[in-house]
Amino acid sequence: DRCIFQHRSLLTHVRKHLTTWSPVGAAFNARPHRKLDLFEKNVGLFGVPELNCPAGFQVATENALKNTERLVEKACSWSPGVQTVQCFDQLSDELCKVADLADFIKVAHPDPSFREAAEKTCIEIGTVVEKLNTNVELCKSLKNLLDNPDIVAQLDPDTKRVAELFMFDFEISGIHLDDKLRKEAVGLHVKLLDLNNEFLVGSHMPNRIAKSAIPEHLHLHYAAEGSFIQIGGMHADSPSDLVREIAYRVYLYPNAELMGCLEELLKCRYKLATLVGYESYGHRALKGTMAKTPETVMSFLQLLTDKLSDRYGLQCFSQKKNVPELMPWDHPYLSGVLRAERYNIEPSLYSPYLSLGSCMEGLNNLFCQLYGVSLMSEHPRAGEVWSKDVRKLAVVHETEGLLGYIYCDFFHRQDKPHQDCHFTIRGGRQCQETGQYQLPVVVLMLSLPEPTKGAPTLLTPGMMENLFHEMGHAMHSMLGRTRYQHVTGTRCATDFAEVPSILMEYFATDYRVISQFARHYETGQPLPESMVARLCESKKVCGAADTQLQIFYAVLDQIYHSKPQNRSTTEILKDMQQKFYGLPYTPNTAWQLRFSHLIGYGAKYYSYLMSRAVASMVWKQCFVADPLNREMGERYRREMLAHGGAKEPMLMVEGMSKLFDFLICCPVPCSYLLPF
């Protein structure tokens, strides 16, 4: 066997119907237990010595800024050449290593003092980055390189692309402007940092309503806060129409202050984009992506809308259930009911077969067979992690050795965001100053239930798919061993970055993969193939309606980031909802204020749909015949994962698939967008 770390068997039966686990499975199925050692040295978060206390963030920030000044001087004084690009990358790395870590800690650490310190670091370094992006002397050192054809001819493709990407950062920041306008651009950047943070925080805040406004028998469905009911979500799974409607109307009730924040944010983005020479913020954001322009994105979305059949496939079902008119709060619930009734896919039937440990063993086995990579559980040192239930994985290749580290923050806790995310903490790069390769470090954040005394954490099929999805991002970071951290792993075009993660969802629902790990946690019995088949079939139910909802979100994002509409964001939403979704707008609601993707995915929400089209093509052409084929896995790593953002995304797609013309002509079959 080529995989030297593969265990003799993933699961084996022992007496009394117990199941034994491999080390990685056991690490995730057991409750965390860490011996208290009063004499063990606190190594700081992620092993960064300064970060053993909140005040350490200021120390780390000051050190990074000192090194930044030194590297800026070096970059400006050196003769143009490959060393210029290396210096720029080292400069970027100095700032990113602190800012990216702080970006995670500010949302995930349970201690408010750590979160506050991290937030200050993010703002301070973000401000410095925006000033560097308008530093004329720094830009000139790079321009001298790119304007010299003799020097450019000597650069390897990766170095040339990284140099061009750094120059692109200068250009979109307004480096070409005169002093007055350049200062205005910096001011807009700094203002946007504050607006982005304000909107992001506000979009997740609950709304509340007086208890007296809601029928008393419904109070138990919501969180109580004195004489108020607090609603922090849609309650989309509730079988009560009234519970869902109340949650929808209250949670989406407009907040005037947050509405003003969003309006100002969109105005600032447009002003900044036009200031630096773009037609709109969308045009600025999409440069360098697979789609290239907002016009291509809208053509893509309109074509999908035109081709989707049964857009309102829930209508006939709602009539059977005596729902007089289908409303937005009905869609998620009714589609789930329809799937369950047709295919009997109650999550509780699947969960005993999907313990967290077995799923992690399944991922380990999959990566072992595709890439020769194993996940090895390690005990974190004192102070290295922010919560005792965080697990640490070393990613080890059979011949290349240690590739990097994945910290798994998987369990729900108070004040932790209810979202599944991948965070880059440190990017991989070849360090010219030491001759060593800087190993990548990432965090995967989920919100799973903790194991109990009697059972490990049991996943629903949806949770299992999300785990595979996020692990796709992590392996992109681990296997994208680029020379420059500026293009490491997931630091690539947004509409390409989701391809590896969405592709993993296909592996997560293929019985040839699932059969290798899905076993009942008590009896060891395998998950029946018929249950997997039902699950896959159920995904096709209401698939068109679900896709159309995503199209509506993507269109709304594009319109918000086009030229000013001279109408409110709510009026735009109402219009686009009618044209691209069809379910009626509910008066006095503002769903856009919960659209937190407007921050990280501004003008790029379409990326999920486009990435799904690409991932589907890769799956059908490369893995559907044999999802465990090592030769195809190596090809996938070589053509798509290894480059990070160091290669044009469409060239990577071309390397894996001959059907890469869809972005040019947009002839996307709907089967590529519908699940499986």
Side-chain angles (χ1 to χ4, degrees):
D1 195 325
R2 295 182 65 183
C3 188
I4 63 175
F5 296 107
Q6 190 169 7
H7 306 288
R8 194 175 304 165
S9 62
L10 291 178
L11 294 171
T12 56
H13 298 287
V14 295
R15 285 182 223 167
K16 298 183 182 179
H17 301 293
L18 295 177
T19 302
T20 57
W21 309 94
S22 67
V24 71
F28 284 86
N29 268 354
R31 292 176 66 85
H33 59 282
R34 181 177 177 82
K35 293 181 180 179
L36 182 62
D37 185 347
L38 297 176
F39 300 100
E40 187 176 2
K41 182 182 178 181
N42 185 322
V43 300
L45 292 167
F46 298 102
V48 179
E50 297 91 340
L51 301 184
N52 57 13
C53 64
F57 273 98
Q58 186 58 40
V59 176
T61 301
E62 290 172 359
N63 290 341
L65 296 183
K66 285 179 183 177
N67 290 333
T68 295
E69 290 179 9
R70 175 178 56 82
L71 289 166
V72 168
E73 289 179 10
K74 185 185 290 187
C76 293
S77 61
W78 274 359
S79 299
V82 66
Q83 68 274 9
T84 305
V85 183
Q86 292 169 349
C87 189
F88 266 77
D89 193 64
Q90 188 180 352
L91 169 59
S92 173
D93 185 54
E94 282 289 338
L95 295 169
C96 287
K97 280 192 295 189
V98 179
D100 290 342
L101 190 156
D103 204 39
F104 168 72
I105 292 298
K106 76 177 184 181
V107 298
H109 204 291
D111 186 338
S113 59
F114 268 96
R115 295 199 301 267
E116 290 168 11
E119 173 64 27
K120 289 179 181 177
T121 287
C122 288
I123 293 173
E124 190 169 350
I125 290 188
T127 302
V128 170
V129 169
E130 298 306 339
K131 289 180 179 178
L132 288 176
N133 283 339
T134 53
N135 184 312
V136 176
E137 290 302 311
L138 191 60
C139 177
K140 189 182 296 183
S141 67
L142 190 63
K143 194 171 188 302
N144 289 340
L145 183 153
L146 290 172
D147 285 349
N148 189 321
D150 294 333
I151 297 177
V152 171
Q154 297 173 19
L155 301 179
D156 62 88
D158 285 6
T159 301
K160 181 174 181 289
R161 177 164 172 79
V162 170
E164 291 170 345
L165 288 172
F166 277 122
M167 181 55 72
F168 173 63
D169 289 339
F170 280 120
E171 290 171 352
I172 64 173
S173 298
I175 195 69
H176 54 286
L177 302 174
D178 61 36
D179 288 346
K180 181 181 178 181
L181 293 178
R182 195 161 55 246
K183 286 180 181 178
E184 184 179 352
V186 172
L188 285 169
H189 275 295
V190 172
K191 184 177 181 180
L192 280 168
L193 288 174
D194 292 334
L195 289 170
N196 287 345
N197 186 62
E198 181 183 345
F199 182 78
L200 198 57
V201 171
S203 67
H204 294 295
M205 293 295 289
N207 275 345
R208 63 181 194 168
I209 188 172
K211 285 183 177 179
S212 58
I214 294 177
E216 188 174 350
H217 71 282
L218 297 179
H219 289 184
L220 60 91
H221 295 283
Y222 309 107
E225 188 185 67
S227 60
F228 291 91
I229 291 292
Q230 185 168 276
I231 298 180
M234 300 283 205
H235 289 252
D237 295 330
S238 174
S240 167
D241 297 345
L242 191 53
V243 167
R244 295 196 309 275
E245 179 179 356
I246 290 172
Y248 187 93
R249 290 181 181 276
V250 173
Y251 187 60
L252 299 185
Y253 190 79
N255 177 302
E257 189 174 335
L258 194 60
M259 186 75 78
C261 173
L262 176 59
E263 300 277 4
E264 185 63 21
L265 187 153
L266 295 175
K267 286 179 183 177
C268 282
R269 284 181 173 178
Y270 176 75
K271 187 174 182 180
L272 177 61
T274 55
L275 183 65
V276 299
Y278 289 88
E279 190 176 332
S280 69
Y281 183 82
H283 287 85
R284 177 182 183 267
L286 294 180
K287 187 172 180 180
T289 63
M290 287 197 291
K292 307 292 187 190
T293 68
E295 291 76 20
T296 300
V297 172
M298 288 302 292
S299 296
F300 172 72
L301 297 173
Q302 185 62 59
L303 182 69
L304 293 181
T305 298
D306 295 342
K307 288 194 173 186
L308 280 173
S309 59
D310 189 29
R311 189 190 310 178
Y312 315 117
L314 297 173
Q315 294 284 4
C316 59
F317 181 71
S318 66
Q319 292 167 7
K320 291 180 185 177
K321 293 294 181 181
N322 297 317
V323 178
E325 182 182 15
L326 194 65
M327 300 300 288
W329 53 82
D330 295 322
H331 177 165
Y333 172 72
L334 291 181
S335 61
V337 170
L338 183 55
R339 292 184 183 108
E341 285 192 357
R342 283 192 188 176
Y343 295 102
N344 188 26
I345 56 164
E346 170 59 40
S348 62
L349 298 175
Y350 289 83
S351 292
Y353 298 92
L354 301 174
S355 69
L356 178 56
S358 71
C359 292
M360 292 304 296
E361 285 190 343
L363 286 162
N364 181 56
N365 191 50
L366 177 63
F367 298 148
C368 212
Q369 293 180 75
L370 287 179
Y371 315 120
V373 165
S374 289
L375 306 176
M376 313 292 286
S377 179
E378 288 192 1
H379 289 291
R381 295 164 294 171
E384 186 177 353
V385 296
W386 48 100
S387 180
K388 66 179 182 180
D389 56 9
V390 174
R391 312 302 207 268
K392 180 183 179 183
L393 293 175
V395 181
V396 184
H397 188 271
E398 60 188 18
T399 59
E400 299 170 28
L402 182 61
L403 298 181
Y405 292 100
I406 303 172
Y407 290 82
C408 301
D409 187 357
F410 283 172
F411 302 107
H412 170 78
R413 62 176 176 270
Q414 192 174 5
D415 294 330
K416 177 182 173 182
H418 290 271
Q419 57 191 73
D420 300 338
C421 298
H422 164 273
F423 292 86
T424 296
I425 303 300
R426 185 176 71 199
R429 65 181 281 262
Q430 186 63 48
C431 301
Q432 300 300 320
E433 57 275 22
T434 64
Q436 301 293 313
Y437 193 83
Q438 176 174 287
L439 297 177
V441 175
V442 304
V443 174
L444 296 189
M445 188 166 72
L446 305 177
S447 192
L448 304 176
E450 289 189 352
T452 64
K453 290 182 179 179
T457 293
L458 302 178
L459 277 60
T460 65
M463 290 175 181
M464 186 262 285
E465 280 185 40
N466 288 347
L467 171 62
F468 271 62
H469 178 104
E470 298 304 332
M471 193 59 80
H473 284 308
M475 292 309 292
H476 194 183
S477 294
M478 295 296 113
L479 295 174
R481 287 177 74 82
T482 54
R483 195 188 327 171
Y484 299 102
Q485 69 82 36
H486 193 62
V487 290
T488 186
T490 56
R491 288 176 181 163
C492 55
T494 306
D495 52 7
F496 179 80
E498 292 296 326
V499 172
S501 54
I502 292 174
L503 182 63
M504 283 295 293
E505 296 175 22
Y506 289 88
F507 287 98
T509 51
D510 189 289
Y511 184 71
R512 293 163 294 182
V513 176
I514 294 176
S515 63
Q516 296 202 350
F517 69 88
R519 300 284 192 276
H520 198 287
Y521 76 99
E522 290 181 313
T523 68
Q525 291 296 312
L527 178 64
E529 185 173 3
S530 60
M531 290 180 66
V532 179
R534 292 204 307 268
L535 188 65
C536 291
E537 284 300 310
S538 73
K539 292 178 178 296
K540 299 175 184 177
V541 176
C542 305
D546 294 342
T547 299
Q548 193 62 51
L549 179 59
Q550 293 301 310
I551 292 172
F552 159 54
Y553 294 159
V555 169
L556 188 65
D557 175 43
Q558 288 298 307
I559 301 300
Y560 281 167
H561 291 103
S562 61
K563 292 181 179 180
Q565 300 288 304
N566 297 319
R567 50 183 177 157
S568 71
T569 56
T570 300
E571 290 172 325
I572 295 171
L573 179 140
K574 184 178 180 180
D575 185 22
M576 294 304 109
Q577 185 167 327
Q578 178 60 41
K579 289 180 180 177
F580 288 92
Y581 188 34
L583 297 187
Y585 166 75
T586 304
N588 294 317
T589 62
W591 178 85
Q592 72 273 24
L593 299 184
R594 301 296 182 181
F595 196 7
S596 59
H597 284 80
L598 288 173
I599 302 305
Y601 281 78
K604 297 179 182 179
Y605 190 82
Y606 76 93
S607 297
Y608 289 106
L609 290 165
M610 193 164 280
S611 290
R612 183 165 294 281
V614 175
S616 178
M617 287 189 280
V618 172
W619 172 258
K620 291 175 181 178
Q621 293 188 32
C622 305
F623 291 109
V624 73
D626 180 5
L628 303 174
N629 184 287
R630 177 63 178 270
E631 183 180 349
M632 197 57 73
E634 293 288 1
R635 178 184 167 194
Y636 174 56
R637 178 188 180 184
R638 183 175 63 251
E639 296 290 349
M640 295 188 77
L641 297 180
H643 303 286
K647 191 174 180 180
E648 279 284 347
M650 287 312 300
L651 294 178
M652 291 189 275
V653 175
E654 181 182 356
M656 281 301 290
S657 168
K658 297 304 178 186
L659 294 180
F660 68 99
D661 295 326
F662 75 99
L663 277 179
I664 301 171
C665 307
C666 284
V668 186
C670 284
S671 60
Y672 284 136
L673 272 297
L674 298 182
F676 312 98

